[in-house]
Amino acid sequence: MDNFKIDLDADGILVCAFDVPNKTMNTFTKAALADLEKIAERAKTDAGVKGVILTSGKDNGFCAGADLEEMIGGAWEAESGDDEQSKLKAAFNAAFEMNRVYRLLETCGKPVVAALNGLALGGGLEVSLACHYRVLSNGPKVQVGLPEIKIGLFPGGGGSQRLPRLIGAQAALMAMSEGKSFKPQEALGAGVVDELADPDKVLDAAKTWIKTKGDPVARWDKKDFKIPGGGPYHPAGAQVFIMGNALLRKQSYGNYPAVINLMHAVYEGLQLPIDQAIRVESRYFCNTLMTPQAKAMIRTFFFSMQALGKGAGRPAGVPKSDVTKVAVLGAGMMGAGIAYVSALAGIETILIDRDQASADKGKAHCEDLLKKAVSRGKMSQDKATGVLNLITATPDYAKIEGADLVVEAVFENTDLKEQVTKAAEAPLYSGAKADTAIFGTNTSTIPITLLATASSKPENYIGVHFFSPVDRMPLVELIRGEKTSDATVAKAIDYALKIKKTPIVVNDSRFFFANRCFIPFTAEGMIMWSEGIAPALIDNAGRMTGMPRGPLEMMDDVALDLLTKITSETAKAMGDAYEPIPGEKEVAQMVADGRYGRKNGKGFYDYPEQKGAPKTLWQGTLDAFPVKMAEADPAQVEELKKRLLYVQAVTAARCFEEGVITDPREADVGSILGWGFAPWSGGIVSLMDAIGIAKFVEELDRMTALYGKRFAPPQLLRDMAKNGETFYSRFDKAGKKAA
């Protein structure tokens, strides 16, 4: 076999070590499933086999699931005719293949144990659920789970049927709908695994069970089996589905077909014997896989994220660099966060502010983050101490000498940024690394080319836009100025990857890509507010789009005083070309009255001091503009949702037309990681492609007539509609013309 190393020991135990050749991690491919079928057949027919153990031949884990590249690439699709019935049958057979093989293993007549010597996710956990016993390594980095929902799918290898039968419908639905991963003790406590063992004792524990208790019949195949907590028609079990259906819809707003189909599969499957149940699962899995949401989410969250995480946007022909020393200018929340993630990656970090007390305050923030990590068991105290020791807090710019990179993170003020740039470049470009060092500015709005005029080496100057809070937000937006060199971009990407961030590269423009697309979301909320639409209705519609917050509460989170400063700076820079947003003056007055947002407990909402207490809308939001729409029918709600999503999407289209961004993968990943654009869509570009460009343009024309020129489609969209193009076919960066 190509994918399993087989050994029959003296006790008749067939040890099968999963070891896919030329892969760092095991995944189930068509070939691996064929090998597993051979194992099941040998166990069934060979009298010398007394039991089977599935384990891994790799050190880093058991199995990460199904090979999505092969699945989506079509390797699992059978030949079929042109009629829909044949296509549907072929798709079902492809989706059912994993279930069919796992079931053969489960019913081979010999006890089968999963000896999980590392992580087991997706199909990797599902094959272990088809085993009769599960032993899990009690290692620090081990986890098991069914995370398929996070890429728009749900467990399709029997997980939606076996896990509820193992731990009960309620616990299983919660785990699967969240894509929850269990650490070893959690997995044992939940009943997902049967035994924990030290990493070097997992195989021994599996053999012991086979020799002493080995039972070749799955618990759900026994006549006396009862579903833990009761099935759909049991009084207690029925409540799970009544409440669960409402809860899942509240969480997903119906945007995720995978969540709805998961509920269907579990509800229907638990009423049937396992053989029929897994066929029900495959039917719903197949339907889910064919949805635009699943296709877009798989492309973005798996393929594109993986590519960008390996530096797909890195200029070719530039040697790799290793950033070992970074200087951060500004020790506020943003600067301190940048210092923290840099030191966490093992980089010597100089944290600079105007005086020692200010610099020390920034380092204290880093220390607080490290204390939290230690208290939660995510880091040892020795590791935390080592990270903190890498950070030097100082007002002394001379300590910048020898740095590979300076990241300026002072306030959004052009004059201040010019001042600190000149002060920092003197030591930066005087040391041993003067020829290779680069300068990055963490501006979120000001054009890089403008800021680079203060630099003595504009070719070494680049925008490095982090998102707040830096320790949790995974994206870094790198912005090329007019003179930024490829070598500078490459080095900035190398730094971003080292600190475990996903980089996207965009070209210079005021607000760049992320903020330019995000600002219209909050602006549209303000416009709706000025139109007399109730603030509660605006924010509810915003959440229903799949955005993490409504537009008004998002403004509170960002901070109203910061937004007014950005508005003021923008108006100053644009002069007569600046067009005020309706509601802008009212927000400025709120700030003048001391309502800054969540950070001081007063904004569009009032935030109680009591922890866990819900926020409430501030009465003043209702007084600012007469409320004309306090309630809305479904059609009106859909229109509000459409306005909030489409105004962002058409802005992204303008960014493509102007060359601000050129790669659909970076646009999709950046939109989701940067400002939380509706993940169910697969990203801001995938949304337009799924709607269809021609239909999107038609809707934009309608909305332009109703609401104004902010919805007007650019010529690029009209050309694409005429030519039948998608963003992924027109702007093909991956070398695959995928419509």
Side-chain angles (χ1 to χ4, degrees):
M1 296 182 189
D2 293 331
N3 300 280
F4 287 88
K5 296 173 182 176
I6 308 297
D7 177 60
L8 184 65
D9 71 8
D11 295 314
I13 297 175
L14 192 69
V15 180
C16 309
F18 194 11
D19 194 359
V20 179
N22 304 317
K23 294 280 188 178
T24 57
M25 175 62 73
N26 290 324
T27 56
F28 270 109
T29 61
K30 193 173 182 181
L33 281 176
D35 285 349
L36 190 65
E37 183 171 4
K38 292 175 185 175
I39 291 169
E41 182 63 23
R42 180 175 176 183
K44 181 178 182 179
T45 59
D46 187 343
V49 175
K50 306 303 180 184
V52 178
I53 295 175
L54 295 185
T55 190
S56 175
K58 299 186 186 296
D59 296 331
N60 60 348
F62 175 66
C63 177
D67 188 318
L68 283 176
E69 187 167 5
E70 186 183 78
M71 181 191 296
I72 305 304
W76 288 26
E77 295 179 6
E79 293 293 328
S80 63
D82 293 331
D83 62 288
E84 289 302 315
Q85 194 65 30
S86 296
K87 289 180 180 179
L88 189 61
K89 183 177 180 180
F92 173 83
N93 289 338
F96 186 67
E97 183 64 9
M98 186 174 282
N99 259 328
R100 184 186 70 82
V101 174
Y102 287 3
R103 185 61 174 156
L104 290 177
L105 185 72
E106 189 173 42
T107 58
C108 70
K110 306 289 173 62
V112 183
V113 182
L116 304 174
N117 53 339
L119 96 169
L121 301 175
L125 178 58
E126 287 179 296
V127 73
S128 77
L129 295 176
C131 297
H132 305 110
Y133 195 74
R134 288 157 291 283
V135 182
L136 179 64
S137 168
N138 198 17
K141 296 184 179 180
V142 174
Q143 57 179 319
V144 299
L146 299 172
E148 290 90 341
I149 209 78
K150 294 179 179 179
I151 57 168
L153 298 174
F154 72 90
S160 76
Q161 303 307 312
R162 291 187 178 92
L163 193 62
R165 286 167 168 82
L166 191 64
I167 66 174
Q170 180 173 345
L173 279 168
M174 288 178 65
M176 291 186 288
S177 65
E178 295 173 3
K180 177 179 172 61
S181 290
F182 297 86
K183 294 179 180 179
Q185 289 292 342
E186 292 176 322
L188 181 65
V192 178
V193 300
D194 301 295
E195 183 179 347
L196 300 183
D198 291 339
D200 59 343
K201 302 293 184 183
V202 173
L203 199 59
D204 291 340
K207 289 184 176 183
T208 297
W209 183 82
I210 290 175
K211 289 187 284 186
T212 59
K213 300 178 181 178
D215 185 347
V217 182
R219 62 197 73 183
W220 34 84
D221 283 327
K222 296 180 179 181
K223 291 182 179 179
D224 61 348
F225 172 71
K226 292 183 180 180
I227 299 167
Y233 289 124
H234 185 279
Q239 288 299 313
V240 170
F241 289 95
I242 293 171
M243 298 301 294
N245 187 53
L247 181 62
L248 291 181
R249 287 189 176 274
K250 180 183 178 182
Q251 291 174 338
S252 69
Y253 295 104
N255 290 323
Y256 296 86
V259 174
I260 298 168
N261 286 340
L262 169 64
M263 179 67 80
H264 278 296
V266 174
Y267 179 78
E268 294 178 24
L270 287 183
Q271 300 176 56
L272 299 168
I274 192 72
D275 285 303
Q276 284 72 46
I278 57 177
R279 297 184 73 84
V280 167
E281 177 193 81
S282 291
R283 185 178 75 235
Y284 281 111
F285 180 83
C286 178
N287 289 341
T288 304
L289 187 60
M290 290 178 169
T291 63
Q293 292 92 330
K295 291 177 180 178
M297 289 180 74
I298 291 168
R299 178 174 60 197
T300 297
F301 288 104
F302 187 78
F303 296 114
S304 297
M305 203 86 78
Q306 194 174 77
L308 295 177
K310 294 178 180 177
R314 195 178 188 279
V318 180
K320 288 288 180 68
S321 62
D322 183 23
V323 174
T324 59
K325 181 177 178 179
V326 166
V328 181
L329 310 182
M333 291 289 286
M334 182 63 77
I338 297 168
Y340 173 77
V341 296
S342 299
L344 200 61
I347 300 172
E348 178 188 354
T349 304
I350 311 299
L351 182 57
I352 297 177
D353 214 308
R354 62 183 177 272
D355 52 48
Q356 190 64 51
S358 299
D360 286 342
K361 186 177 179 181
K363 185 171 181 178
H365 175 69
C366 299
E367 187 173 11
D368 288 342
L369 292 173
L370 290 166
K371 285 179 179 177
K372 286 181 183 178
V374 172
S375 68
R376 294 170 181 172
K378 295 181 177 180
M379 186 184 300
S380 69
Q381 184 57 57
D382 287 346
K383 166 81 172 181
T385 301
V387 171
L388 194 63
N389 287 340
L390 285 170
I391 302 173
T392 300
T394 178
D396 186 2
Y397 276 71
K399 292 187 182 296
I400 292 173
E401 185 175 343
D404 299 283
L405 165 68
V406 166
V407 180
E408 169 268 298
V410 300
F411 294 119
E412 287 287 275
N413 180 281
T414 305
D415 294 337
L416 178 60
K417 287 180 181 290
E418 178 181 345
Q419 177 185 330
V420 299
T421 297
K422 290 179 177 178
E425 283 195 348
L428 179 67
Y429 294 137
S430 64
K433 297 179 180 178
D435 293 336
T436 58
I438 64 172
F439 192 104
T441 174
N442 179 58
T443 179
S444 57
T445 61
I446 306 172
I448 303 306
T449 303
L450 172 63
L451 294 176
T453 59
S455 173
S456 61
K457 293 187 177 183
E459 68 276 11
N460 290 16
Y461 196 97
I462 188 170
V464 184
H465 178 206
F466 287 87
F467 296 79
S468 184
V470 179
D471 59 296
R472 295 204 300 269
M473 296 297 281
L475 186 75
V476 172
E477 184 181 30
L478 302 175
I479 308 103
R480 282 180 176 268
E482 286 182 5
K483 297 182 179 180
T484 305
S485 69
D486 281 353
T488 299
V489 173
K491 191 159 195 171
I493 288 176
D494 293 341
Y495 166 67
L497 296 179
K498 185 167 184 175
I499 61 174
K500 294 181 169 53
K501 300 295 183 185
T502 300
I504 63 170
V505 181
V506 305
N507 293 312
D508 201 14
S509 170
R510 183 166 290 276
F511 300 117
F512 321 125
F513 172 70
N515 277 336
R516 184 170 170 187
C517 295
F518 167 68
I519 289 171
F521 173 69
T522 55
E524 196 65 24
M526 289 172 63
I527 293 169
M528 290 176 176
W529 179 41
S530 72
E531 291 172 357
I533 299 171
L537 187 55
I538 296 168
D539 276 349
N540 283 335
R543 287 189 291 271
M544 291 171 72
T545 66
M547 296 288 289
R549 298 276 195 279
L552 304 182
E553 58 184 345
M554 188 80 83
M555 291 173 67
D556 270 4
D557 286 353
V558 173
L560 301 182
D561 58 329
L562 174 61
L563 292 174
T564 55
K565 286 176 184 176
I566 291 173
T567 298
S568 176
E569 186 80 14
T570 304
K572 177 182 174 183
M574 295 181 67
D576 294 340
Y578 181 73
E579 296 183 14
I581 300 168
E584 195 175 292
K585 290 182 180 178
E586 287 71 18
V587 171
Q589 186 59 53
M590 289 168 65
V591 172
D593 293 339
R595 303 194 70 85
Y596 302 151
R598 182 183 288 273
K599 70 179 184 180
N600 78 329
K602 297 184 294 183
F604 280 97
Y605 291 81
D606 286 317
Y607 299 86
E609 293 183 6
Q610 182 182 352
K611 189 175 181 180
K615 65 180 184 284
T616 55
L617 266 170
W618 175 51
Q619 179 62 36
T621 62
L622 304 177
D623 298 334
F625 298 101
V627 175
K628 299 176 182 177
M629 183 189 292
E631 297 180 356
D633 61 35
Q636 290 172 316
V637 171
E638 286 304 309
E639 183 72 353
L640 295 178
K641 289 166 57 180
K642 189 175 288 188
R643 284 175 63 177
L644 292 169
L645 286 176
Y646 282 30
V647 74
Q648 297 177 75
V650 71
T651 306
R654 294 187 190 112
C655 287
F656 272 91
E657 183 174 68
E658 296 168 22
V660 175
I661 194 164
T662 60
D663 189 335
R665 297 173 301 172
E666 292 185 311
D668 275 341
V669 170
S671 67
I672 293 173
L673 297 187
W675 71 92
F677 186 83
W680 60 265
S681 67
I684 202 162
V685 163
S686 288
L687 175 73
M688 292 185 281
D689 280 357
I691 294 168
I693 303 302
K695 183 177 178 182
F696 185 56
V697 168
E698 183 181 330
E699 277 295 281
L700 289 176
D701 283 336
R702 178 187 68 81
M703 296 170 81
T704 302
L706 286 173
Y707 308 116
K709 64 182 181 181
R710 63 188 181 279
F711 287 98
Q715 187 59 44
L716 170 68
L717 284 179
R718 297 194 186 280
D719 293 343
M720 290 172 65
K722 181 179 179 180
N723 297 329
E725 294 174 312
T726 67
F727 278 91
Y728 273 90
S729 65
R730 183 181 179 105
F731 299 94
D732 179 40
K733 294 289 182 179
K736 299 175 182 178
K737 288 291 182 181

